[in-house]
Amino acid sequence: MSLASTDFAVVERPKTNSRIFAHTRWDAIPVGAALLHCAYFFGMFYLFPRVPLWVMLILGFIYSVSISWNINGISHNFIHNPYFRSPLLNRLFSIMESTTVGFSQVFYECIHMRHHKGNADRPDGHGGTIDWISIYKHGHEGEAEHPLAYTFLSFFREDPKTVFKELKRKDPREVFWGVTELALFVSAFVVLGILNWRYICFLLPFWYLGHRLSYLNGYYRHYGGNPDEPITWGVSAYGKLYNWTWFFNGYHAELHFRPKVHWTRMQALRDQIIEQQRKARVRVIKVPHALGFLDPNLPPHDRSEINVKRSPFAFRIPTQH
């Protein structure tokens, strides 16, 4: 019998008397991290003509990883529980995130809410999914797509027009802010390119890689889960260092089960539902999601591989049906 999130597990939302933060002063940590990330983004431009190329390559790779870190930690938690009491501060934070990471936070929120509506659902009889970024959308016979294809091709499948129409249907005012954020981040990149065309040629590949790493992270947050059972929609990873630095991004089965639970309450939620999770066989991996392909108990990517002994490091191209 399916277990709905309303059947049990009531986790009290954090409360604070802060005039700035809406939920808890602990949100100062992801906010501070976002500010540092923004400073890092512009700092790379300052350092580009002043340090050797090998140093910039290291800084560029760090920026790529930090994009995924921000999207899946800071930006993601902001969607579910906006950090500030003031709508103005929330709007300014959204604009800053859009510029730093190089995408629209408003558009991301729209895509992410569809993700929670569909919960990585399998295609229907017409090949469509509620979740626009479901790992099953471009798979075969109900199987998840291969991780390499999902990671590197999803960028070219994004459809801003569909997101625009969905935003317009839900709240026309958000369309304005979404387009504004897109214009601002593109303008920032253009200005950097005008000031130093070599730098923007250097930056763009790392920007692309960062968003691909975010999709890789998202893939293993669902690969091996059960899209037909609410409590098993997501895949969790409970490494302490991972969750402390990625703002409890690892508690993904819990997040899909109760999306509005604050990131500081994820452990409390798990404590309440752990027995139900065990009975439902919620998938747990031993490594951070971005390294999910290294998990020793990785399921095969295709039914034809079930009886094939394979290395956890291997990426197999699934058989075409």
Side-chain angles (χ1 to χ4, degrees), residues 21 24-38 69-70 72-78 81-84 93 96-97 244-248 262-264:
F21 296 103
T24 171
R25 288 181 173 87
W26 283 106
D27 281 336
I29 298 177
V31 169
L35 290 169
L36 288 174
H37 193 205
C38 185
W69 164 74
N70 191 326
N72 293 287
I74 300 167
S75 180
H76 174 248
N77 286 325
F78 179 66
N81 294 287
Y83 297 135
F84 303 104
F93 186 83
M96 182 186 73
E97 282 286 274
W244 289 343
T245 54
W246 289 62
F247 305 104
F248 285 74
H262 193 271
W263 64 274
T264 60

Side-chain angles (χ1 to χ4, degrees), residues 12 19 31 43 50 55 66 79 91 97 117 124-125 138 145 156 158 161 167 203 212 220 222 229 268 281 284-285:
E12 183 181 358
R19 295 182 179 180
V31 169
R50 295 173 172 82
V55 174
S66 71
I79 286 174
R91 183 64 66 189
E97 282 286 274
K117 186 177 180 180
D124 57 23
H138 297 278
E145 183 178 15
F156 303 102
E158 294 175 357
K161 292 182 179 179
L167 278 174
L203 178 66
R212 297 318 94 219
Y220 285 105
H222 289 279
E229 184 74 26
R281 297 184 179 181
V284 178
I285 59 177

Side-chain angles (χ1 to χ4, degrees), residues 37-201:
H37 193 205
C38 185
Y40 183 90
F41 171 68
F42 288 104
M44 285 199 307
F45 175 77
Y46 174 80
L47 291 174
F48 183 73
R50 295 173 172 82
V51 300
L53 178 60
W54 66 268
V55 174
M56 287 306 305
L57 291 175
I58 294 174
L59 294 178
F61 180 73
I62 293 174
Y63 176 63
S64 294
V65 174
S66 71
I67 288 176
S68 178
W69 164 74
N70 191 326
I71 291 174
N72 293 287
I74 300 167
S75 180
H76 174 248
N77 286 325
F78 179 66
I79 286 174
H80 291 289
N81 294 287
Y83 297 135
F84 303 104
R85 292 188 184 276
S86 167
L88 176 60
L89 286 179
N90 282 324
R91 183 64 66 189
L92 292 174
F93 186 83
S94 180
I95 292 172
M96 182 186 73
E97 282 286 274
S98 300
T99 304
T100 303
V101 179
F103 76 151
S104 167
Q105 177 72 23
V106 170
F107 274 46
Y108 172 42
E109 180 176 357
C110 181
I111 294 169
H112 191 71
M113 288 298 100
R114 287 284 300 204
H115 173 59
H116 277 279
K117 186 177 180 180
N119 294 290
D121 55 325
R122 290 189 173 94
D124 57 23
H126 303 286
T129 56
I130 298 172
D131 178 2
W132 293 330
I133 56 174
S134 172
I135 65 174
Y136 300 97
K137 185 173 183 178
H138 297 278
H140 300 278
E141 296 188 354
E143 296 297 312
E145 183 178 15
H146 190 272
L148 285 179
Y150 182 82
T151 298
F152 289 100
L153 297 181
S154 294
F155 178 86
F156 303 102
R157 296 168 178 162
E158 294 175 357
D159 186 1
K161 292 182 179 179
T162 300
V163 181
F164 181 90
K165 291 178 181 177
E166 180 70 6
L167 278 174
K168 188 175 182 180
R169 182 186 67 81
K170 294 174 63 177
D171 188 348
R173 294 173 299 179
E174 288 301 288
V175 173
F176 168 80
W177 287 111
V179 172
T180 298
E181 288 176 345
L182 286 174
L184 288 174
F185 104 72
V186 170
S187 297
F189 277 49
V190 169
V191 170
L192 294 178
I194 292 173
L195 294 175
N196 189 334
W197 67 268
R198 291 182 177 87
Y199 176 74
I200 203 65
C201 292

